[in-house]
Amino acid sequence: MEGGVGVGGGGATISDMYQRSKKLSIQIRDGLERLEPSPSIVADAPPPELSFSIKRDIAQFQSLCADMDRLCRSIASKGHRDLWKRKIEVAAEEADSLKKNLDSYLLRHQKRLMEAKERAELLERMNGDSSHILRIFDDEAQAMQSARNSRVMIDEAYNTGVAILSKYAEQRDRLKRAQRKALDVLNTVGLSNSVLKLIERRHRLDKWIVYVGMVFTVVAVYVFWRLTH
């Protein structure tokens, strides 16, 4: 059962995640196309919010790839597992390529801003009438530098979040294995149904603790990003 194998914590299958990643890919490419025509006039350049939005989409794309890779390992059929593994590898490579394209654009745009600023400074020395143009370039250059700094912080926060979520996933898998072993032992010794139900409730509580921890981590990363902007 190719599409239904491997269900994440939110109930989404690996197939659902793959479809979401394809939609994100199209959305990111559309955003990059809107950035690339970058006119030489700073006032007509795309707003910095567009590059921030594209960065968020790329981070979500990479996160989906990590989740799909984890779920892929639980597919029982080797044929289906190998097929999904290849699909996920292609998606991860695409996410990395899109991130490189955005980074390249930001560097090119920063270079154009610096060149335009140097031209404006030259004009100012010639006629002393370009101070308002310089202020526009200064503001835009500062915005782009802030965007680059924010990108570094977002990448660091994203990597930290992925590591924490991976730990939560490992702990949840260990809890499941421990529960199955405990239930096998208890069934063997013939303990009462009330004891088994008590263990079931404890397992559900542990599972909710893991979910709350995952949600808290995602919210913390989002709040951190918002505070830096």
Side-chain angles (χ1 to χ4, degrees):
M1 189 167 57
E2 179 178 354
V5 173
V7 181
T13 65
I14 192 172
S15 180
D16 295 335
M17 292 182 178
Y18 184 75
Q19 292 303 319
R20 286 168 56 194
S21 72
K22 298 300 289 183
K23 291 180 181 179
L24 275 174
S25 173
I26 295 173
Q27 184 173 316
I28 293 167
R29 291 185 183 278
D30 178 69
L32 289 173
E33 288 177 359
R34 291 162 60 192
L35 283 177
E36 281 302 335
S38 297
S40 59
I41 301 177
V42 176
D44 294 335
E49 292 81 4
L50 179 57
S51 63
F52 293 157
S53 176
I54 294 173
K55 277 185 287 188
R56 288 196 302 268
D57 290 341
I58 291 175
Q60 187 178 0
F61 192 2
Q62 291 176 320
S63 178
L64 281 173
C65 290
D67 291 339
M68 287 190 294
D69 181 69
R70 178 175 56 82
L71 291 179
C72 178
R73 301 171 190 173
S74 66
I75 298 178
S77 170
K78 186 178 184 302
H80 288 165
R81 185 169 62 251
D82 291 343
L83 176 62
W84 276 111
K85 181 178 180 181
R86 180 54 187 160
K87 286 184 177 182
I88 295 168
E89 288 175 349
V90 172
E93 290 171 359
E94 183 180 11
D96 291 340
S97 175
L98 293 172
K99 184 176 184 298
K100 290 178 182 178
N101 289 342
L102 177 61
D103 292 344
S104 178
Y105 162 79
L106 293 174
L107 289 174
R108 291 196 305 272
H109 189 52
Q110 181 73 13
K111 182 178 178 180
R112 285 195 292 268
L113 288 174
M114 296 304 298
E115 291 172 350
K117 181 179 179 181
E118 291 173 358
R119 289 193 297 269
E121 289 174 341
L122 178 60
L123 288 173
E124 184 183 32
R125 287 194 295 269
M126 294 175 61
N127 55 34
D129 192 31
S130 301
S131 59
H132 66 288
I133 298 178
L134 286 175
R135 284 196 297 271
I136 294 176
F137 288 131
D138 284 336
D139 292 342
E140 183 66 14
Q142 290 176 4
M144 294 306 299
Q145 184 62 41
S146 176
R148 294 179 64 185
N149 294 338
S150 298
R151 174 175 57 83
V152 172
M153 289 188 291
I154 289 174
D155 288 343
E156 292 177 352
Y158 165 74
N159 292 332
T160 302
V162 169
I164 293 174
L165 291 177
S166 297
K167 289 295 183 182
Y168 281 141
E170 292 175 2
Q171 292 175 2
R172 184 184 62 183
D173 292 339
R174 285 198 296 268
L175 286 173
K176 286 183 177 180
R177 289 195 297 269
Q179 184 205 26
R180 284 196 294 269
K181 291 180 180 179
L183 290 177
D184 290 341
V185 172
L186 293 175
N187 286 328
T188 301
V189 299
L191 290 182
S192 65
N193 289 333
S194 61
V195 176
L196 295 178
K197 290 180 180 179
L198 179 62
I199 293 175
E200 290 271 349
R201 287 196 296 270
R202 178 56 184 271
H203 171 64
R204 285 196 296 270
L205 177 60
D206 291 341
K207 183 168 64 176
W208 277 109
I209 291 174
V210 172
Y211 289 161
V212 170
M214 295 172 67
V215 170
F216 176 79
T217 300
V218 172
V219 171
V221 171
Y222 175 76
V223 171
F224 173 79
W225 180 86
R226 292 292 298 176
L227 289 176
T228 58
H229 295 77

